[in-house]
Amino acid sequence: MFDAQEESGDIVVTPTRPNGWDDGGTYRRMHQHTWNSESWQTENCYDTPYSAINNANRILDQIENGEFKLSDSQKSSTIADLRAIRAVWYMMLLDTHGNVPLVTHFNDSVPKQATRKEVFNFVVSELKAAIPALSETVDASTYGSLTKWGALTALARVYLNGEVYTGTAYWKECLNCCNQIINSGKFSLSTDYKSIFAYDNGSSNKEIIFAVPYDSRYQGFQMQHKWFPPIAKYVFGNSSDYFWGGSCANPQFIKSYEEGDKRLEDTWLIGPQYYTTGSNVGKLAWMCKNYLPSLTCMKNGINYTSIDYGYRIWKYGSDPSTTNGKWNNDFPFFRYAEVLLDKAECLLRLGQNEDEAAQIVTQLRQRDFDDESKATVTVAELKGDTRIKYGTLDWDNNIDVAGDQTPVTLGGLYDEWGWEFACEAQRRTEMIRFGTYSKKNWFNHTAVTDGHTAIFPIPLSALETNRNLKQNPGYDSNR
């Protein structure tokens, strides 16, 4: 999901480096939107949800068949849990592939393909049906489970993007979900942005609504291997850990940050670092020398950039205790900041209480700026154009082909989404909703303006095993 959402967007790039990362051009294809039905990123985003959906369907059928002996209350709550989490998996498919089969029983016959509108309606109806029976408790006992509030956040996300999915806007419905979560009083913003993603984050963090838990003893968080170069193990003190050194920041996004925004250094590893272990303790260890990865990485088919170029993803703090390459960081799938930005966007889209929208965004920014005046944002600023300077870059890191320069509607709010949720597997969805994904050029990406890449192709493996499926528009039916 991270690769599908971030590599296809304007924040993260994975250039080819001396130690590898070309991988047959797979990351270049994600950046340039030239993937096909055999690309592993898009295929995994199809197969993984269906694996989970099949598991949920199997247990639901076993409950209904009486194979599991549950009390009436246990049966009601367990069915609600399973329907809700199944709906979240379908929410992902709705966003990534759109027109997918709706399978609701483990032994269903070969399923037919549903339209994106039908999948949207199913997700909404399933979440609404499950929410009344879901737990309202928010503590260690429900951490990692989808509570009522997590399901409401999922429903809000679906409604927020409803116009993309169906052609009809659902701003009021999204706003209603947000108000229920806010009025519950169960959640609050963390005072420290970095703590949300720290190696010891968990149920005590009141901003996290729903998290994917990881533990270094079992299934550890391992995304860091893709982000940091090999030398990082001596910088972080994890001398037995290992890193592969691929992904880094698109410089155009880095340049968009406002002066004084602490999210810049809380999200990205910047500048000189030093050895903390090994024979070179205290010596300089370049691993993020420049925020400009060499443009040769994706330019004109020449694939190369230095191992130490590009600001690295630093949002998820290192675990000093790890010895096996598995960190403790839990992944915040839904957090309270999203609910607040959802509400602000709905108010602006509806043209209602716009000053309240600006106050909400200001509240969010107050933890990121020491200067109160810089934290304060106005309605006019939220409605202004984006600070990102779009266009492909030339060999001298200047704009080469500017492409579409139409101002982004609610561009100031668009930037807030980017700064707040960078590297959280959301960027593609944001760009599609704000209309930049199929219009703008960035780094070495030239816009695919017919819009067909806004949904991924149905995997070739699925087409070959289910003749009821048709390929999504714009893709070769065989690839």
Coordinates of all heavy atoms in Angstrom, one line a residue, residues 274-352:
Y274 N 26.2 11.3 12.1 CA 27.5 10.8 12.6 C 27.5 9.4 13.1 O 26.4 8.9 13.6 CB 28.0 11.8 13.7 CG 28.2 13.2 13.3 CD1 27.2 14.1 13.2 CD2 29.5 13.5 12.8 CE1 27.5 15.4 12.7 CE2 29.8 14.8 12.4 CZ 28.8 15.7 12.3 OH 29.0 17.0 11.8
Y275 N 28.6 8.7 13.0 CA 28.7 7.3 13.5 C 28.5 7.4 15.0 O 29.1 8.2 15.7 CB 30.0 6.7 13.2 CG 30.3 6.4 11.8 CD1 30.8 7.3 10.9 CD2 30.0 5.1 11.3 CE1 31.1 7.0 9.6 CE2 30.3 4.8 9.9 CZ 30.8 5.8 9.1 OH 31.1 5.4 7.8
T276 N 27.6 6.5 15.5 CA 27.5 6.3 17.0 C 28.0 5.0 17.4 O 28.2 4.7 18.6 CB 26.0 6.4 17.4 OG1 25.3 5.4 16.7 CG2 25.5 7.8 17.1
T277 N 28.3 4.0 16.5 CA 28.9 2.7 16.8 C 29.9 2.4 15.8 O 30.0 3.0 14.8 CB 27.8 1.6 16.9 OG1 27.2 1.5 15.6 CG2 26.7 1.9 17.9
G278 N 30.7 1.3 16.1 CA 31.7 0.9 15.1 C 33.0 1.7 15.3 O 33.2 2.4 16.3
S279 N 33.9 1.5 14.4 CA 35.3 2.1 14.5 C 35.3 3.5 14.2 O 36.4 4.2 14.5 CB 36.2 1.3 13.6 OG 35.8 1.4 12.3
N280 N 34.3 4.1 13.7 CA 34.3 5.6 13.3 C 33.4 6.4 14.2 O 32.9 7.4 13.7 CB 33.9 5.7 11.9 CG 34.9 5.1 10.9 OD1 36.0 5.3 11.0 ND2 34.3 4.2 10.0
V281 N 33.3 6.1 15.5 CA 32.4 6.8 16.3 C 32.7 8.3 16.3 O 33.9 8.7 16.5 CB 32.5 6.3 17.8 CG1 31.7 7.2 18.7 CG2 31.9 4.9 17.9
G282 N 31.7 9.2 16.1 CA 31.9 10.6 16.1 C 32.3 11.2 14.7 O 32.2 12.4 14.5
K283 N 32.6 10.3 13.7 CA 33.0 10.8 12.4 C 31.7 11.0 11.6 O 30.7 10.4 11.8 CB 33.9 9.8 11.7 CG 35.3 9.8 12.4 CD 36.2 8.9 11.6 CE 37.6 8.9 12.2 NZ 38.6 8.0 11.4
L284 N 31.9 11.9 10.6 CA 30.8 12.2 9.7 C 30.4 11.0 8.9 O 31.2 10.2 8.4 CB 31.2 13.3 8.7 CG 30.1 13.9 7.8 CD1 29.1 14.6 8.7 CD2 30.8 14.9 6.9
A285 N 29.1 10.7 8.8 CA 28.5 9.6 8.0 C 27.4 10.1 7.1 O 26.3 10.2 7.4 CB 28.0 8.5 8.9
W286 N 27.8 10.5 5.9 CA 26.8 11.1 4.9 C 25.8 10.0 4.5 O 26.2 8.9 4.1 CB 27.5 11.6 3.7 CG 28.1 13.0 3.8 CD1 29.5 13.3 3.8 CD2 27.4 14.2 4.1 NE1 29.6 14.6 4.0 CE2 28.4 15.2 4.2 CE3 26.1 14.5 4.3 CZ2 28.1 16.5 4.5 CZ3 25.8 15.9 4.5 CH2 26.8 16.8 4.6
M287 N 24.6 10.3 4.7 CA 23.5 9.4 4.3 C 22.3 10.2 3.7 O 21.4 9.6 3.2 CB 23.1 8.5 5.4 CG 22.6 9.2 6.7 SD 22.3 8.1 8.0 CE 20.7 7.5 7.6
C288 N 22.3 11.5 3.8 CA 21.3 12.3 3.2 C 21.9 13.7 2.9 O 21.5 14.7 3.4 CB 20.1 12.5 4.2 SG 20.7 12.9 5.9
K289 N 22.9 13.6 2.0 CA 23.7 14.7 1.7 C 23.0 15.9 1.1 O 23.3 17.1 1.3 CB 24.8 14.3 0.7 CG 25.9 15.3 0.4 CD 26.9 14.8 -0.6 CE 27.7 13.7 0.0 NZ 28.8 13.2 -1.0
N290 N 22.0 15.7 0.4 CA 21.4 16.7 -0.4 C 19.9 16.3 -0.6 O 19.6 15.1 -0.8 CB 22.1 16.8 -1.8 CG 21.7 18.1 -2.5 OD1 20.5 18.4 -2.6 ND2 22.7 18.8 -3.1
Y291 N 19.0 17.3 -0.6 CA 17.6 16.9 -0.8 C 17.3 16.7 -2.3 O 16.2 16.4 -2.7 CB 16.6 17.9 -0.2 CG 16.7 19.3 -0.8 CD1 16.2 19.6 -2.1 CD2 17.1 20.4 0.0 CE1 16.3 20.9 -2.6 CE2 17.1 21.7 -0.5 CZ 16.7 21.9 -1.8 OH 16.7 23.2 -2.3
L292 N 18.3 16.9 -3.1 CA 18.1 16.7 -4.6 C 18.8 15.4 -5.0 O 20.0 15.3 -5.3 CB 18.8 17.8 -5.4 CG 18.1 19.2 -5.2 CD1 18.9 20.3 -5.8 CD2 16.7 19.2 -5.8
P293 N 18.0 14.3 -5.1 CA 18.6 13.1 -5.7 C 18.9 13.3 -7.1 O 18.2 14.1 -7.8 CB 17.4 12.0 -5.5 CG 16.2 12.8 -5.3 CD 16.6 14.1 -4.7
S294 N 20.0 12.8 -7.6 CA 20.5 13.1 -9.0 C 19.4 12.8 -10.0 O 18.7 11.8 -9.9 CB 21.7 12.2 -9.3 OG 22.0 12.3 -10.6
L295 N 19.2 13.7 -10.9 CA 18.1 13.6 -11.8 C 18.4 12.5 -12.8 O 17.5 12.1 -13.6 CB 17.8 14.9 -12.5 CG 17.3 16.0 -11.6 CD1 17.0 17.2 -12.4 CD2 16.0 15.5 -11.0
T296 N 19.6 12.0 -12.8 CA 19.9 10.9 -13.7 C 19.1 9.6 -13.3 O 19.1 8.7 -14.1 CB 21.4 10.6 -13.8 OG1 21.8 10.3 -12.4 CG2 22.2 11.7 -14.3
C297 N 18.6 9.6 -12.1 CA 17.9 8.4 -11.6 C 16.7 8.0 -12.5 O 16.4 6.9 -12.6 CB 17.5 8.6 -10.2 SG 16.1 9.8 -10.0
M298 N 16.1 9.0 -13.1 CA 14.9 8.7 -13.9 C 14.8 9.4 -15.2 O 13.8 9.5 -15.8 CB 13.6 8.9 -13.1 CG 13.5 8.0 -11.8 SD 11.9 8.4 -11.0 CE 12.1 7.3 -9.6
K299 N 15.9 10.0 -15.6 CA 15.9 10.9 -16.8 C 16.4 10.2 -18.0 O 17.5 9.6 -18.0 CB 16.8 12.1 -16.5 CG 16.6 13.2 -17.5 CD 15.3 14.0 -17.3 CE 15.2 15.2 -18.2 NZ 14.0 15.9 -18.1
N300 N 15.6 10.2 -19.0 CA 16.1 9.6 -20.3 C 16.6 8.2 -20.3 O 17.5 7.8 -21.0 CB 17.2 10.6 -20.9 CG 16.6 12.0 -21.2 OD1 15.4 12.1 -21.5 ND2 17.4 13.0 -21.0
G301 N 16.1 7.4 -19.4 CA 16.4 6.0 -19.3 C 17.8 5.8 -18.6 O 18.2 4.6 -18.6
I302 N 18.5 6.8 -18.1 CA 19.7 6.6 -17.4 C 19.4 6.5 -15.9 O 18.9 7.4 -15.3 CB 20.7 7.8 -17.6 CG1 20.9 7.9 -19.2 CG2 22.0 7.6 -16.9 CD1 21.7 9.2 -19.5
N303 N 19.7 5.4 -15.3 CA 19.2 5.1 -13.9 C 20.4 5.0 -13.0 O 21.0 4.0 -12.8 CB 18.5 3.8 -13.9 CG 17.4 3.7 -15.0 OD1 16.5 4.5 -15.0 ND2 17.6 2.8 -15.9
Y304 N 20.7 6.2 -12.3 CA 21.7 6.2 -11.3 C 21.7 7.4 -10.5 O 21.5 8.5 -10.9 CB 23.1 6.1 -12.0 CG 24.3 6.0 -11.0 CD1 24.6 4.8 -10.5 CD2 24.9 7.2 -10.6 CE1 25.7 4.8 -9.5 CE2 25.9 7.2 -9.7 CZ 26.3 5.9 -9.2 OH 27.3 5.9 -8.2
T305 N 21.9 7.2 -9.2 CA 22.1 8.3 -8.3 C 23.0 7.8 -7.1 O 22.9 6.7 -6.8 CB 20.8 9.0 -7.8 OG1 21.2 10.3 -7.2 CG2 20.1 8.1 -6.8
S306 N 23.7 8.7 -6.5 CA 24.6 8.3 -5.4 C 23.8 7.7 -4.2 O 22.6 8.1 -4.0 CB 25.3 9.6 -4.9 OG 26.0 9.3 -3.7
I307 N 24.4 6.9 -3.4 CA 23.8 6.2 -2.3 C 23.4 7.2 -1.2 O 22.4 7.0 -0.5 CB 24.7 5.1 -1.7 CG1 24.0 4.3 -0.7 CG2 25.9 5.8 -1.1 CD1 22.9 3.4 -1.3
D308 N 24.0 8.4 -1.2 CA 23.8 9.3 -0.1 C 22.9 10.5 -0.5 O 22.8 11.4 0.3 CB 25.1 9.8 0.6 CG 26.1 10.3 -0.5 OD1 25.7 10.5 -1.6 OD2 27.3 10.6 -0.1
Y309 N 22.4 10.5 -1.7 CA 21.6 11.6 -2.1 C 20.1 11.4 -1.7 O 19.6 10.3 -1.8 CB 21.7 11.8 -3.6 CG 22.8 12.8 -4.0 CD1 24.1 12.7 -3.5 CD2 22.5 13.9 -4.9 CE1 25.0 13.6 -3.8 CE2 23.5 14.8 -5.2 CZ 24.8 14.6 -4.7 OH 25.7 15.6 -5.0
G310 N 19.5 12.5 -1.4 CA 18.1 12.5 -1.1 C 17.8 12.5 0.4 O 18.3 11.7 1.1
Y311 N 16.9 13.3 0.9 CA 16.4 13.3 2.3 C 15.6 12.0 2.5 O 14.7 11.7 1.7 CB 15.5 14.5 2.6 CG 16.3 15.8 2.7 CD1 15.6 17.0 2.8 CD2 17.7 15.9 2.6 CE1 16.3 18.2 2.9 CE2 18.4 17.1 2.7 CZ 17.6 18.2 2.9 OH 18.3 19.4 3.0
R312 N 16.0 11.3 3.6 CA 15.4 10.0 3.8 C 14.2 10.1 4.8 O 14.1 11.0 5.6 CB 16.4 9.0 4.4 CG 17.6 8.9 3.6 CD 17.3 8.5 2.2 NE 18.5 8.6 1.3 CZ 19.3 7.5 1.0 NH1 19.0 6.3 1.5 NH2 20.3 7.7 0.2
I313 N 13.2 9.2 4.7 CA 12.0 9.2 5.5 C 12.4 8.9 6.9 O 13.0 7.9 7.3 CB 11.0 8.1 5.0 CG1 10.6 8.5 3.6 CG2 9.8 8.1 5.9 CD1 9.8 7.4 2.9
W314 N 12.1 9.8 7.8 CA 12.5 9.8 9.2 C 11.3 9.9 10.2 O 11.5 10.0 11.4 CB 13.5 10.9 9.5 CG 14.1 11.0 10.9 CD1 14.1 12.1 11.7 CD2 14.8 10.0 11.6 NE1 14.7 11.9 12.8 CE2 15.1 10.6 12.8 CE3 15.1 8.7 11.4 CZ2 15.8 9.9 13.8 CZ3 15.7 8.0 12.4 CH2 16.1 8.6 13.6
K315 N 10.2 9.8 9.6 CA 8.9 9.9 10.4 C 8.8 8.9 11.4 O 8.3 9.2 12.5 CB 7.7 9.9 9.4 CG 6.4 10.3 10.0 CD 5.4 10.5 8.9 CE 4.4 11.6 9.3 NZ 3.5 12.0 8.2
Y316 N 9.2 7.7 11.1 CA 9.0 6.5 12.0 C 10.3 6.3 12.7 O 11.3 5.8 12.2 CB 8.6 5.3 11.2 CG 7.3 5.5 10.4 CD1 7.4 6.1 9.1 CD2 6.1 5.3 10.9 CE1 6.3 6.3 8.4 CE2 4.9 5.6 10.2 CZ 5.0 6.1 8.9 OH 3.9 6.4 8.2
G317 N 10.4 6.7 14.0 CA 11.6 6.8 14.7 C 12.3 5.4 14.9 O 11.6 4.4 14.9
S318 N 13.6 5.5 15.0 CA 14.4 4.2 15.1 C 14.2 3.6 16.5 O 13.9 4.2 17.5 CB 15.9 4.5 14.9 OG 16.4 5.2 15.9
D319 N 14.4 2.2 16.5 CA 14.3 1.5 17.7 C 15.7 1.1 18.2 O 16.3 0.2 17.5 CB 13.4 0.2 17.5 CG 13.2 -0.6 18.7 OD1 13.9 -0.4 19.7 OD2 12.3 -1.5 18.7
P320 N 16.2 1.7 19.2 CA 17.6 1.4 19.6 C 17.8 0.0 20.1 O 19.0 -0.4 20.3 CB 17.9 2.4 20.7 CG 16.5 2.7 21.3 CD 15.6 2.6 20.1
S321 N 16.8 -0.7 20.4 CA 16.9 -2.0 21.0 C 16.9 -3.2 20.0 O 17.2 -4.3 20.4 CB 15.8 -2.3 22.1 OG 14.5 -2.4 21.4
T322 N 16.6 -2.9 18.8 CA 16.4 -3.9 17.8 C 17.8 -4.6 17.4 O 18.8 -3.9 17.4 CB 15.7 -3.4 16.5 OG1 15.5 -4.6 15.7 CG2 16.6 -2.5 15.8
T323 N 17.7 -5.9 17.2 CA 18.9 -6.6 16.8 C 18.6 -7.5 15.6 O 19.4 -8.2 15.1 CB 19.5 -7.5 17.9 OG1 18.5 -8.4 18.4 CG2 20.0 -6.6 19.1
N324 N 17.3 -7.5 15.2 CA 16.9 -8.4 14.1 C 16.3 -7.7 12.9 O 15.6 -8.4 12.1 CB 15.9 -9.5 14.7 CG 14.7 -8.8 15.3 OD1 14.5 -7.6 15.2 ND2 13.8 -9.6 15.8
G325 N 16.4 -6.4 12.8 CA 15.8 -5.7 11.7 C 14.3 -5.5 11.8 O 13.7 -5.0 10.8
K326 N 13.7 -5.8 12.9 CA 12.3 -5.6 13.1 C 12.0 -4.6 14.2 O 12.5 -4.8 15.4 CB 11.6 -7.0 13.5 CG 11.7 -8.0 12.4 CD 11.1 -9.3 12.8 CE 11.3 -10.4 11.8 NZ 10.7 -11.7 12.2
W327 N 11.3 -3.5 13.9 CA 11.1 -2.5 14.8 C 9.7 -2.6 15.5 O 8.9 -3.3 15.0 CB 11.3 -1.1 14.2 CG 12.7 -0.8 13.8 CD1 13.8 -1.6 13.9 CD2 13.1 0.5 13.2 NE1 14.9 -0.9 13.4 CE2 14.6 0.4 13.0 CE3 12.5 1.7 12.9 CZ2 15.3 1.4 12.5 CZ3 13.3 2.7 12.4 CH2 14.7 2.6 12.2
N328 N 9.5 -1.8 16.5 CA 8.3 -1.9 17.3 C 7.2 -0.9 16.8 O 6.1 -0.9 17.4 CB 8.6 -1.6 18.8 CG 9.2 -2.8 19.5 OD1 8.6 -3.9 19.4 ND2 10.3 -2.6 20.2
N329 N 7.6 0.0 15.9 CA 6.7 1.1 15.5 C 5.3 0.5 15.0 O 5.3 -0.3 14.1 CB 7.3 1.9 14.4 CG 8.7 2.4 14.7 OD1 9.6 1.5 14.9 ND2 8.9 3.7 14.7
D330 N 4.3 1.0 15.6 CA 2.9 0.7 15.1 C 2.6 1.7 14.0 O 3.0 2.8 14.0 CB 1.9 0.7 16.2 CG 2.1 -0.3 17.2 OD1 2.8 -1.3 17.0 OD2 1.5 -0.1 18.3
F331 N 1.9 1.2 13.0 CA 1.5 2.1 11.8 C 0.1 2.7 12.1 O -0.9 2.0 12.2 CB 1.5 1.4 10.5 CG 1.2 2.2 9.3 CD1 2.2 2.9 8.7 CD2 -0.1 2.3 8.8 CE1 1.9 3.8 7.6 CE2 -0.4 3.1 7.7 CZ 0.6 3.8 7.1
P332 N 0.1 4.1 12.3 CA -1.3 4.7 12.5 C -2.1 4.8 11.2 O -1.8 5.6 10.4 CB -0.9 6.1 13.0 CG 0.6 6.1 13.3 CD 1.2 5.0 12.4
F333 N -3.0 3.9 11.1 CA -3.8 3.8 9.9 C -4.9 4.9 9.9 O -5.1 5.5 8.8 CB -4.5 2.4 9.8 CG -5.1 2.1 8.5 CD1 -4.2 1.5 7.5 CD2 -6.4 2.4 8.1 CE1 -4.7 1.2 6.2 CE2 -6.9 2.1 6.8 CZ -6.0 1.5 5.9
F334 N -5.5 5.2 11.0 CA -6.4 6.3 11.2 C -5.9 7.1 12.4 O -5.7 6.5 13.4 CB -7.9 5.9 11.4 CG -8.5 5.2 10.3 CD1 -9.2 4.0 10.5 CD2 -8.5 5.7 9.0 CE1 -9.9 3.4 9.5 CE2 -9.1 5.0 7.9 CZ -9.8 3.9 8.2
R335 N -5.9 8.4 12.3 CA -5.5 9.2 13.4 C -6.4 10.5 13.4 O -7.0 10.9 12.4 CB -4.1 9.6 13.5 CG -3.4 10.3 12.4 CD -1.9 10.3 12.6 NE -1.2 11.0 11.5 CZ -0.9 12.3 11.5 NH1 -1.2 13.1 12.5 NH2 -0.2 12.8 10.5
Y336 N -6.5 11.1 14.6 CA -7.4 12.2 14.8 C -7.2 13.4 13.9 O -8.1 14.1 13.5 CB -7.4 12.6 16.3 CG -8.4 13.6 16.8 CD1 -9.8 13.3 16.6 CD2 -8.1 14.8 17.4 CE1 -10.8 14.1 17.0 CE2 -9.1 15.6 17.8 CZ -10.4 15.3 17.7 OH -11.4 16.2 18.1
A337 N -5.9 13.6 13.6 CA -5.6 14.7 12.7 C -6.4 14.6 11.4 O -6.8 15.6 10.8 CB -4.1 14.8 12.4
E338 N -6.6 13.4 10.9 CA -7.3 13.2 9.6 C -8.7 13.6 9.8 O -9.3 14.2 8.9 CB -7.2 11.7 9.2 CG -8.1 11.4 8.0 CD -7.9 9.9 7.5 OE1 -7.0 9.2 8.0 OE2 -8.7 9.5 6.7
V339 N -9.3 13.3 10.9 CA -10.7 13.7 11.2 C -10.9 15.2 11.2 O -11.8 15.7 10.6 CB -11.2 13.1 12.5 CG1 -12.6 13.6 12.8 CG2 -11.2 11.6 12.5
L340 N -9.9 15.9 11.8 CA -10.0 17.3 11.8 C -9.8 17.9 10.4 O -10.5 18.9 10.0 CB -8.9 17.9 12.7 CG -9.0 17.5 14.2 CD1 -7.9 18.1 15.0 CD2 -10.4 18.1 14.8
L341 N -8.9 17.4 9.6 CA -8.7 17.9 8.3 C -9.9 17.5 7.4 O -10.3 18.3 6.5 CB -7.4 17.4 7.6 CG -6.1 18.1 8.0 CD1 -4.9 17.6 7.2 CD2 -6.3 19.6 7.7
D342 N -10.5 16.4 7.6 CA -11.7 16.0 6.9 C -12.8 17.1 7.1 O -13.4 17.5 6.2 CB -12.3 14.7 7.4 CG -11.5 13.5 6.9 OD1 -10.6 13.6 6.0 OD2 -11.8 12.3 7.4
K343 N -13.0 17.4 8.4 CA -14.0 18.4 8.7 C -13.7 19.8 8.1 O -14.6 20.4 7.5 CB -14.1 18.6 10.3 CG -15.2 19.6 10.6 CD -15.5 19.6 12.1 CE -16.6 20.6 12.4 NZ -17.0 20.7 13.9
A344 N -12.4 20.2 8.2 CA -12.1 21.5 7.6 C -12.3 21.5 6.1 O -12.9 22.5 5.5 CB -10.6 21.8 7.9
E345 N -12.0 20.4 5.4 CA -12.2 20.3 4.0 C -13.7 20.3 3.7 O -14.1 21.0 2.7 CB -11.5 19.1 3.4 CG -11.7 19.0 1.9 CD -10.8 17.9 1.3 OE1 -9.8 17.5 1.9 OE2 -11.1 17.5 0.1
C346 N -14.5 19.6 4.4 CA -15.9 19.6 4.1 C -16.5 21.0 4.3 O -17.4 21.4 3.5 CB -16.6 18.6 5.1 SG -16.3 16.9 4.7
L347 N -16.1 21.7 5.3 CA -16.7 23.0 5.6 C -16.3 24.0 4.4 O -17.1 24.7 3.9 CB -16.1 23.6 6.9 CG -16.6 22.9 8.2 CD1 -15.9 23.5 9.4 CD2 -18.2 23.1 8.3
L348 N -15.1 23.9 3.9 CA -14.6 24.7 2.8 C -15.3 24.3 1.5 O -15.7 25.2 0.7 CB -13.1 24.6 2.6 CG -12.3 25.3 3.7 CD1 -10.8 24.9 3.6 CD2 -12.5 26.8 3.7
R349 N -15.5 23.0 1.3 CA -16.2 22.6 0.1 C -17.6 23.0 0.1 O -18.2 23.2 -1.0 CB -16.1 21.0 0.0 CG -14.7 20.5 -0.1 CD -14.1 20.3 -1.5 NE -12.8 19.6 -1.5 CZ -12.0 19.6 -2.5 NH1 -12.4 20.2 -3.7 NH2 -10.9 18.9 -2.5
L350 N -18.2 22.9 1.2 CA -19.7 23.3 1.4 C -19.9 24.8 1.4 O -21.0 25.3 1.3 CB -20.3 22.7 2.6 CG -20.5 21.2 2.6 CD1 -20.7 20.6 4.0 CD2 -21.6 20.8 1.6
G351 N -18.8 25.6 1.7 CA -18.9 27.0 1.9 C -19.6 27.4 3.2 O -20.3 28.4 3.2
Q352 N -19.4 26.5 4.2 CA -20.1 26.8 5.5 C -19.0 26.9 6.6 O -18.1 26.2 6.6 CB -21.0 25.6 5.8 CG -22.1 25.3 4.9 CD -22.9 24.0 5.2 OE1 -22.6 23.4 6.2 NE2 -23.9 23.7 4.4

